[in-house]
């Protein structure tokens, strides 16, 4: 019992919860969409039964994964996979259009969809959680797994939108999550039985897995994920021929076509208000062509494999409508004419592409300012600046 009260135990629990939240968001989308067509009275039951089945299945899979990690070299293989998963977490995904399974209007059909989807989509979660539990849990690896999964999955299911908004607002959370996977990968590598256990493959060179070595390997793994992730993001941006954005003066009377990117946040509302104020400084306010745009991040290809395109479109439409609502209300109250649309894709790149397609004179968007988030991973505003040649006005 004393071991359950140690700092190491609770650090490992925190790692498991963070991993499950970061890697399990797509599973929450599948649960929401699979149960969408159920009658209201059955919807909660479908979510509960689907979630319960997903929890049991997840724990069973992790149990077997923990046993497999005792096989020589499997920790090293798992570490390589974790590094790749961490890198993918940092690199923006493009929308994947394939789909095959429609949400069911029958309770057990929806539950089956949730459980099957969670089984297929949980490989990354299982590897990461097994690694965290094995590295930090000592003789209580399964206790760590059960406790962490029981806490994190309900957070994912019922708080998925809150978690998504939190990660959008503080993108460094995703970066830290990717680096956490790199840390676990590094510590897994130097504790592989083939490297540290004299009784396993006696002729193979051995190392002494001291705390200093584990910490050093963990730091190296975290920095590797960060470095490769940033490099791939940079190369992805280079392929779209980014150029530096020009500075913009609010007194530019020649402005006519303006793209206003919004996400429903307070800073987004301030950007909308800036447009309303700027309108009076334009040479011809009545000639203003204002395009209101919201961009939703695409779900992963794993989700689209289990949810029909129509259901995903309804999901994106609902989120986009909520994000556009406050900007629409402000513009309507001020009597400003506009056209609104929503898109799905990497936000910064999509905003830049829309501005180019419409030959916009200016992009206006809210920003929460520079800081550790922008330095580590980059915000939507930073990504837009990297991808566009259209002048950008950032409103804080």
């Amino acid at each position: 019992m004393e071991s359950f009260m140690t700092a190491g135990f609770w650090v490992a629990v925190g790692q498991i919860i963070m991993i499950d939240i970061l890697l399990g968001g797509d599973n929450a989308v599948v649960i929401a969409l699979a149960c969408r067509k159920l009658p209201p009275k059955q919807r909660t039951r479908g979510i509960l039964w689907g979630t319960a089945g997903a929890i049991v299945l997840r724990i069973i899979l992790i149990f077997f994964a923990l046993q497999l990690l005792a096989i020589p070299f499997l920790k090293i293989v798992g570490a390589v996979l974790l590094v790749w998963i961490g890198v993918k977490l940092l690199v923006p995904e493009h929308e994947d259009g394939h789909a095959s399974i429609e949400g069911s209007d029958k309770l057990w059909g929806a539950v089956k969809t949730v459980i099957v989807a969670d089984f297929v989509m949980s490989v990354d979660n299982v590897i990461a959680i097994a690694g965290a539990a094995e590295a930090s849990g000592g003789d209580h690896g399964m206790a760590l797994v059960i406790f962490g999964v029981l806490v994190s999955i309900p957070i994912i299911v019922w708080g998925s939108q809150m978690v998504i908004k939190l990660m959008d607002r503080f993108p460094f959370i995703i970066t830290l999550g990717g680096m956490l996977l790199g840390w676990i990968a590094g510590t897994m590598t130097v504790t592989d039985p083939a490297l540290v256990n004299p009784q396993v493959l006696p002729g193979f060179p051995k190392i002494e897995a001291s705390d200093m070595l584990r910490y050093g390997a963990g730091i190296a793994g975290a920095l590797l994920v960060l470095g490769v992730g940033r490099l791939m993001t940079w190369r992805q941006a280079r392929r779209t021929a980014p150029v530096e954005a020009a500075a913009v003066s609010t007194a530019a009377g020649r402005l006519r076509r303006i793209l206003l990117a919004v996400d429903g946040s307070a800073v987004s509302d301030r950007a909308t208000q800036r447009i309303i104020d700027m309108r009076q400084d334009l040479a011809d306010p009545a000639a203003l062509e204002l395009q209101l745009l919201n961009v939703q991040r695409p779900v992963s290809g794993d989700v689209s494999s289990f949810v029909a395109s129509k259901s995903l479109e309804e999901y994106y439409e609902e989120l986009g409508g909520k994000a556009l609502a406050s900007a629409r209300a402000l513009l309507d109250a001020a009597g400003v004419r506009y056209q609104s649309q929503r898109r799905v894709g990497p936000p910064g790149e999509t905003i830049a592409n829309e501005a180019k397609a419409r030959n916009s004179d200016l992009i206006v968007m809210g920003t929460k300012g520079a800081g550790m988030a922008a330095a580590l991973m980059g915000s939507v505003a930073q990504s837009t600046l990297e991808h566009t040649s259209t002048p950008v006005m950032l409103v804080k």
Side-chain angles (χ1 to χ4, degrees):
M1 182 62 70
E2 292 181 1
S3 60
F4 290 94
M5 304 304 294
T6 62
F9 179 86
W10 291 104
V11 167
V13 168
Q15 289 180 348
I16 290 174
I17 291 174
M18 186 172 183
I19 290 167
D20 235 341
I21 289 175
L22 285 170
L23 299 180
D26 289 343
N27 303 55
V29 173
V30 168
I31 291 173
L33 293 176
C35 299
R36 188 186 188 96
K37 293 186 176 182
L38 291 175
K41 291 183 179 179
Q42 292 187 345
R43 193 170 301 150
T44 300
R45 291 172 59 193
I47 292 174
L48 288 173
W49 281 108
T51 302
I55 288 174
V56 172
L57 185 61
R58 185 80 56 86
I59 291 173
I60 293 173
L61 290 174
I62 295 170
F63 171 78
F64 284 108
L66 283 171
Q67 310 310 309
L68 291 175
L69 288 179
I71 298 176
F73 299 113
L74 271 191
K75 280 190 177 183
I76 297 175
V77 174
V80 173
L81 290 175
L82 278 185
V83 168
W84 178 240
I85 293 167
V87 169
K88 284 183 63 181
L89 200 61
L90 304 189
V91 180
E93 277 193 279
H94 292 264
E95 182 178 13
D96 193 316
H98 67 282
S100 60
I101 298 181
E102 178 69 81
S104 176
D105 57 358
K106 304 296 184 183
L107 176 61
W108 291 111
V111 171
K112 181 182 70 175
T113 298
V114 169
I115 294 175
V116 172
D118 191 82
F119 175 78
V120 174
M121 295 167 57
S122 293
V123 174
D124 52 359
N125 304 60
V126 167
I127 295 172
I129 292 174
E134 199 280 337
S136 305
D139 296 329
H140 304 287
M142 278 310 299
L144 275 170
V145 168
I146 293 171
F147 186 84
V149 170
L150 287 176
V151 170
S152 57
I153 287 188
I155 292 175
I156 294 168
V157 174
W158 281 282
S160 59
Q161 289 307 310
M162 179 189 70
V163 170
I164 290 170
K165 289 180 180 178
L166 188 65
M167 289 190 290
D168 276 342
R169 182 168 184 178
F170 304 106
F172 69 89
I173 294 175
I174 301 176
T175 302
L176 293 178
M179 294 176 71
L180 172 61
L181 295 179
W183 170 277
I184 295 171
T187 57
M188 281 177 62
T189 300
V190 297
T191 57
D192 188 281
L195 299 178
V196 299
N197 191 341
Q199 298 179 353
V200 176
L201 301 177
F204 197 81
K206 307 298 177 184
I207 60 175
E208 183 180 350
S210 64
D211 288 344
M212 183 173 294
L213 178 63
R214 289 179 62 250
Y215 293 147
I219 292 172
L223 293 178
L224 176 64
V225 168
L226 177 63
V228 174
R230 294 296 288 164
L231 177 62
M232 290 182 65
T233 301
W234 176 76
R235 291 182 63 183
Q236 191 177 88
R238 282 289 297 272
R239 285 197 294 269
T240 59
V243 297
E244 292 187 8
V248 179
S249 169
T250 57
R254 295 188 302 273
L255 295 177
R256 185 166 67 89
R257 291 179 294 273
I258 297 179
L259 178 66
L260 173 59
V262 299
D263 61 6
S265 65
V267 290
S268 180
D269 288 345
R270 288 197 288 273
T272 304
Q273 188 60 51
R274 177 65 65 86
I275 290 287
I276 295 171
D277 297 338
M278 280 176 55
R279 185 167 173 264
Q280 304 307 316
D281 297 328
L282 300 179
D284 184 5
L288 173 64
E289 297 178 14
L290 179 61
Q291 188 70 32
L292 191 61
L293 174 67
N294 171 255
V295 181
Q296 292 294 323
R297 294 183 187 274
V299 300
S300 73
D302 290 335
V303 173
S304 60
S305 297
F306 285 91
V307 181
S309 298
K310 183 178 179 181
S311 296
L312 275 179
E313 179 62 25
E314 292 172 350
Y315 175 74
Y316 290 135
E317 184 175 358
E318 180 182 340
L319 295 182
K322 291 179 180 178
L324 289 165
S326 58
R328 284 170 171 166
L330 288 171
L331 294 170
D332 289 341
V336 178
R337 292 181 304 160
Y338 63 90
Q339 291 182 332
S340 63
Q341 63 180 161
R342 55 179 185 78
R343 291 285 184 264
V344 178
E349 183 179 343
T350 304
I351 292 169
N353 290 341
E354 284 294 319
K356 181 178 180 180
R358 296 179 176 278
N359 198 24
S360 298
D361 300 314
L362 177 67
I363 299 172
V364 178
M365 59 194 306
T367 179
K368 299 167 184 70
M372 184 171 67
L376 286 177
M377 181 178 176
S379 63
V380 173
Q382 180 65 33
S383 176
T384 303
L385 289 170
E386 291 172 354
H387 284 87
T388 189
S389 58
T390 302
V392 179
M393 174 184 288
L394 301 179
V395 180
K396 295 183 180 180

